Amino acid sequence: MATEKNNLIRQIRAKGIKSGRVLDAMRKVDRISFVPQEQKAVAYADAPLPIGFGQTISQPYIVALMSEMLNVRHGEKVLEIGTGSGYQFAVLKELTPHVYGVELKKELADPAVKYLRNAGYRDINIKLGDGYEGWEEHAPFDKIIVTAAAVHAPPPLIKQLECGGRMVLPLGGRDEVQYLTVLTKDGRGRISEEKTDPVRFVPMLGRAQEKKK
Ligand code: SAH
């Protein structure tokens, strides 16, 4: 297992992840703890894997890439939308203690909390609900990461982002190429968006499906 995990970290580095903090976090989190029994044999493949209910655990390189783009500093408050398996959540917990997650499906949120507890994490703040709405009572967030694709950044999330904060999210429709997008809010609350790498995420369900721009 140690060899497979080392190989995975090597692949992630070879694909361009440079942040020492992110690489350390990726080393600390055992992906095998976040996949269902039938996926344990391939847990350290750098590929997305099915976790049931039509959902996937993200590709480790993409988890590392989005974490690097977020540039989380210790002590910052981070919101993750689409917590799914809890894998990205665990990587974020290695970067700052203040992580909040919103997941739509109870069938995924329950095991995620269990996996995170078994992996030794404490203060696991995961809420069941539509992540389109964010998590108002803990706002503002220094960083927001969305791990399901929508056609536009949900306005409630933009509102809950701290001035000087940053959001990383895949933008694009079901049959379109999605792009990882870095949205920043400057000190005066002005928003700018930068489109980066093409990616493929499952669609954001719930309210994101109703509003088409
Ligand atoms: N972050 C996960 C990736 C999960 S895949 C990981 O580390 O592996 C995307 C997740 O988004 C799924 O669990 C799906 O149930 C969830 N999701 C989809 N639409 C959502 C919404 N509107 N609000 C919250 N979660 C949502």
Side-chain angles (χ1 to χ4, degrees):
M1 184 184 110
T3 326
E4 287 173 34
K5 198 169 163 192
N6 288 340
N7 278 340
L8 173 61
I9 303 299
R10 203 168 302 132
Q11 285 178 61
I12 290 171
R13 287 184 76 151
K15 287 177 185 169
I17 302 301
K18 293 189 185 69
S19 160
R21 288 195 77 220
V22 168
L23 288 167
D24 281 347
M26 297 297 295
R27 253 181 229 114
K28 282 192 191 133
V29 179
D30 284 320
R31 195 178 189 229
I32 199 163
S33 310
F34 296 89
V35 300
Q37 198 56 44
E38 60 277 15
Q39 300 294 343
K40 299 262 188 221
V42 286
Y44 292 109
D46 190 23
L49 298 170
I51 55 171
F53 310 98
Q55 302 302 328
T56 53
I57 179 171
S58 300
Q59 178 188 355
Y61 166 67
I62 297 294
V63 169
L65 179 65
M66 290 177 86
S67 304
E68 188 170 71
M69 285 174 169
L70 265 190
N71 190 24
V72 179
R73 298 190 193 92
H74 187 89
E76 283 185 337
K77 207 197 275 186
V78 181
L79 174 67
E80 184 199 16
I81 303 304
T83 297
S85 67
Y87 178 54
Q88 170 80 70
F89 188 97
V91 171
L92 294 169
K93 277 293 246 185
E94 295 294 340
L95 299 170
T96 183
H98 314 297
V99 183
Y100 296 83
V102 183
E103 168 56 47
L104 189 67
K105 295 183 189 249
K106 185 171 167 39
E107 310 90 289
L108 295 174
D110 288 348
V113 171
K114 198 179 83 192
Y115 295 157
L116 286 159
R117 273 209 195 105
N118 290 344
Y121 295 98
R122 295 291 169 262
D123 302 318
I124 303 161
N125 299 298
I126 295 178
K127 172 175 101 154
L128 211 54
D130 189 340
Y132 190 95
E133 311 292 347
W135 196 340
E136 181 74 51
E137 61 179 297
H138 294 293
F141 299 95
D142 301 296
K143 306 284 160 72
I144 299 180
I145 175 171
V146 183
T147 66
V151 289
H152 63 270
L157 296 184
I158 297 178
K159 209 170 149 204
Q160 291 171 29
L161 189 63
E162 179 76 279
C163 283
R166 184 182 291 194
M167 173 159 31
V168 175
L169 73 171
L171 288 183
R174 263 174 203 266
D175 305 312
E176 293 168 7
V177 181
Q178 306 159 0
Y179 289 92
L180 271 188
T181 303
V182 181
L183 182 153
T184 48
K185 193 189 252 191
D186 73 11
R188 292 158 70 183
R190 286 173 306 201
I191 305 299
S192 53
E193 276 187 22
E194 188 199 341
K195 226 165 124 170
T196 68
D197 308 52
V199 283
R200 187 180 293 181
F201 275 85
V202 293
M204 192 185 218
L205 306 172
R207 226 184 121 190
Q209 296 288 325
E210 296 163 17
K211 294 191 143 194
K212 291 267 147 69
K213 247 211 254 184

